[in-house]
Every structure is written in structure tokens, then in C-alpha cells.
Amino acid sequence: MILHQYPDYLEIWRLGATNAESYGDDGCILPLCSNPEKLLQLRTRSEDKVICSAISSDARWLAYSHTTSVHLYHLTLETNKPLRVQRVRCLPSCVQRAHHLCFVRPDRLVLALATGELLLLEVDKDKPRLLHRFSSENGVSLSHLKSSPCGKYMAAADFNRTVNIYDTHNFKKLCTLPQYEHQVAALAFHPKELDLLVVYANNEIIEFSIKENCYTSWSRRYNKRCHLSQSEDNFGLVMNVLYNPVLPEQILLHSDRRLCILDKREMASEEKQESTKDTPIGPRCQFSNHISDKYQYLIHLGVMQPDLLVVVERPPQSISAHLPASLQVKKFGT
């Protein structure tokens, strides 16, 4: 299932499925054995706008925050029956409107408050419980919040360009990454190793080892040789980044109009070739051939299953169709 967030309502959809044995040629549309189905539409009251939302990995919990409060719902989906929704009203008194929401486990929810504080809740149909409150050292709001695949670790980046990593099992802060002069654009945890990938607003990419409390060897070598802006001047600001869960050596990142695959193995292979040729290693880009502009405009890129990538785009035609007629023309007379 997938959660859609709009300014004043939420939707939960079940994606369509195919039983095709092969994927065919690139760009072909596979036949569906079941169509996409909208399971729920949840609207806010009055003029409240949705700030953030999250759904648990087992699709049993839905949380969202609007401009005044946080709402938590328990979801029950049975075969051949409509989705049942039960609102949980007895939230702890410390729960205020949140800027970010994230389920670190199916039964644990993290809320990022406007002050930069993090609240860790154990969700329950009767009475959710506050497990811990991570205080903020500078009182700055968070720009990004990401949990590790195992659910034990959590990374939080604020607008002061600080990235902290927390242990949600032992309720403590593990470390703080070196501060950069640019804002954080995207975060991602490695699916197997204890590594955090950070992309900054200037499109610089670093990989930090939480276990060793330092940059990984690949990160140091990569930043000596290449920079995303060197490969494409018009790549744009990176909106999201993630590892390929099946092949973690591949890193997927995208802007609003381009999708890029960065393969770590290519840099290692070229370094080996250059070392045998006895030539100096100069700065060069390793992924200029792995950039696609097939999707426009890219809104979301995520992994639903290890072999299933979900891409959400908003075609330019659909945007212009909702504009006033005077804004659809390319030139204006005087």
C-alpha cells in the first residue's frame, strides 16, 4: 500500500499487481491482474492543512499532523472487506503538532516538534505511551528525519546543518556528523551496513560509518574524484536518495526532473585500471551514463519491496491544465 498526502486530505491506495513472468522491453506496460484500489480518503476538518504524515510498515497505523494537532489511527484490513479506521484519542499531553513523523518500527512512532525535540511513542489502540524525549541542543527545527531498516537507529538533520544519529532502543544520541556549510538535501541508511548517506544542497555526497564514527573509504575516495554537479550542470537539487536494497553498491538519487544511478563498483574498477597503467588519478565523474530524464516532474522515489521501485511523477501537461489560460501561453503581448 502507498500513502498519498495532499494539502487537506490523505489517501491510501493498494497498488495494482501483475502476474507477467517477464518484464519485456524497456518502457512496455505490463498487464494487470488486479487494478489499483483506493482504500481510504481522510480529510482534515475546517481549514487545517496537512503538515506531514506517515504509515507503518505493516500498514496497521496511520499518523498525520496538521496545523493544530496530531492524529493517530489504527487500520484494519481484512480480505474482501473495506478498510476499518479507528482513531486513537488518548495521546500523551506532550504531543503537539509535528513537523515530521516517522515509524521506526511498526509499533513505534517518532514525532519531530517545531523546537527540534523528538518524541518516541509506543502506539496502542487504547493509550499510546511516551517512551523517551530526545531534547534539542539548539532549538532549531528539523529538515529531515530518517530511520534505519532495522528500526534501531534514526538520523535527524536540522536547519542549522547539524546531523545527529540516535539509538531508539537505548534512548541515547550516538554521534553528530561533521557540519557542512550547505543544508542537507536528503538522507538514507544502508540496508545492511551501519552507514548513513547524506546529500547536501550543493549536491555533495558523503557516506558516514556510524560504527567507526568516520567517513567510509568510498566516501573519501569519491569526493576526491567526483562531484554530482560535474556530471550534469542542470541536474538540479537532489530531492531524495536511497540504496538499492538488492544491490547496495548502487545508489539512486533524483531531482525534480532527473534520475541518477551511482554505482560504487565502477569507481573501484576504474581505480584498478588506472593503477595498472601507472597514470595519476584525476577528478572525473563515474555516472554520467546513468542519468535518465524519462520522468518529469519527479515527486517521489521509493522502494516498496526489494524488487519493486515506485516512482511518482507530475507531468508538465497536468500542471499547465490547472493553470489559468493567461499563464499557459509562452509569450505575452503589450
Side-chain angles (χ1 to χ4, degrees), residues 58-332:
D58 60 358
R60 294 181 57 215
W61 297 96
L62 169 66
Y64 79 90
S65 175
H66 52 65
T67 51
T68 57
S69 62
V70 174
H71 292 246
L72 178 65
Y73 297 88
H74 181 257
L75 309 177
T76 304
L77 181 60
E78 300 177 1
T79 306
N80 299 325
K81 292 185 179 180
L83 180 66
R84 290 193 290 124
V85 182
Q86 177 186 351
R87 182 178 173 183
V88 180
R89 298 185 178 274
C90 298
L91 297 178
S93 58
C94 59
V95 174
Q96 308 168 13
R97 68 171 184 172
H99 282 201
H100 296 274
L101 294 168
C102 178
F103 281 95
V104 294
R105 275 180 20 188
D107 62 342
R108 291 192 177 185
L109 173 66
V110 174
L111 302 89
L113 306 183
T115 58
E117 289 183 294
L118 296 173
L119 304 182
L120 178 61
L121 298 184
E122 184 179 49
V123 294
D124 182 81
K125 289 191 294 184
D126 298 322
K127 191 175 182 180
R129 182 166 61 99
L130 176 66
L131 296 177
H132 190 72
R133 190 166 189 160
F134 296 95
S135 60
S136 173
E137 298 177 357
N138 50 24
V140 179
S141 298
L142 298 184
S143 59
H144 295 80
L145 186 65
K146 185 72 68 172
S147 71
S148 63
C150 66
K152 183 178 180 180
Y153 303 100
M154 178 176 58
D158 63 28
F159 286 103
N160 201 31
R161 310 180 310 281
T162 301
V163 181
N164 293 316
I165 300 175
Y166 300 91
D167 184 339
T168 61
H169 286 191
N170 299 310
F171 309 140
K172 64 179 181 180
K173 186 175 79 170
L174 293 179
C175 59
T176 301
L177 272 63
Q179 194 173 44
Y180 274 64
E181 60 179 346
H182 297 279
Q183 295 286 347
V184 173
L187 299 172
F189 276 97
H190 195 283
K192 297 179 181 179
E193 304 294 335
L194 210 53
D195 298 336
L196 177 69
L197 196 70
V198 184
V199 183
Y200 291 91
N202 66 336
N203 287 347
E204 186 170 355
I205 303 171
I206 65 102
E207 188 180 49
F208 188 84
S209 171
I210 302 173
K211 184 178 180 179
E212 302 295 334
N213 198 22
C214 64
Y215 297 128
T216 64
S217 60
W218 173 85
S219 181
R220 291 191 293 267
R221 300 197 321 272
Y222 170 79
N223 282 287
K224 287 181 180 179
R225 295 172 58 85
C226 186
H227 193 280
L228 181 59
S229 61
Q230 295 174 358
S231 65
E232 282 289 340
D233 294 335
N234 298 320
F235 187 85
L237 177 67
V238 172
M239 300 172 61
N240 191 22
V241 63
L242 58 135
Y243 289 91
N244 182 345
V246 177
L247 192 63
E249 291 81 6
Q250 291 182 342
I251 298 171
L252 288 77
L253 43 87
H254 75 90
S255 63
D256 63 343
R257 59 186 181 275
R258 293 193 174 179
L259 172 64
C260 169
I261 299 178
L262 169 61
D263 198 324
K264 295 182 179 181
R265 299 170 301 176
E266 292 187 0
M267 187 173 70
S269 175
E270 186 161 323
E271 284 177 338
K272 185 177 180 179
Q273 293 178 6
E274 290 179 344
S275 63
T276 57
K277 293 179 181 178
D278 221 7
T279 56
I281 297 177
R284 65 180 64 186
C285 289
Q286 306 301 318
F287 53 91
S288 57
N289 294 328
H290 304 289
I291 293 180
S292 170
D293 55 4
K294 178 179 178 180
Y295 305 102
Q296 291 188 3
Y297 295 100
L298 274 167
I299 299 176
H300 174 76
L301 178 71
V303 176
M304 290 287 291
Q305 298 173 6
D307 60 346
L308 179 60
L309 185 69
V310 175
V311 177
V312 180
E313 65 173 335
R314 182 76 185 273
Q317 297 84 353
S318 67
I319 298 177
S320 60
H322 291 82
L323 295 176
S326 58
L327 296 180
Q328 296 183 26
V329 297
K330 296 183 179 180
K331 295 181 180 180
F332 294 88

Side-chain angles (χ1 to χ4, degrees), residues 4-11 13 41 44 49-51 53:
H4 290 185
Q5 176 181 314
Y6 297 91
D8 54 359
Y9 65 96
L10 303 173
E11 288 184 350
W13 284 76
Q41 184 180 89
T44 61
K49 301 298 181 182
V50 178
I51 299 176
S53 60

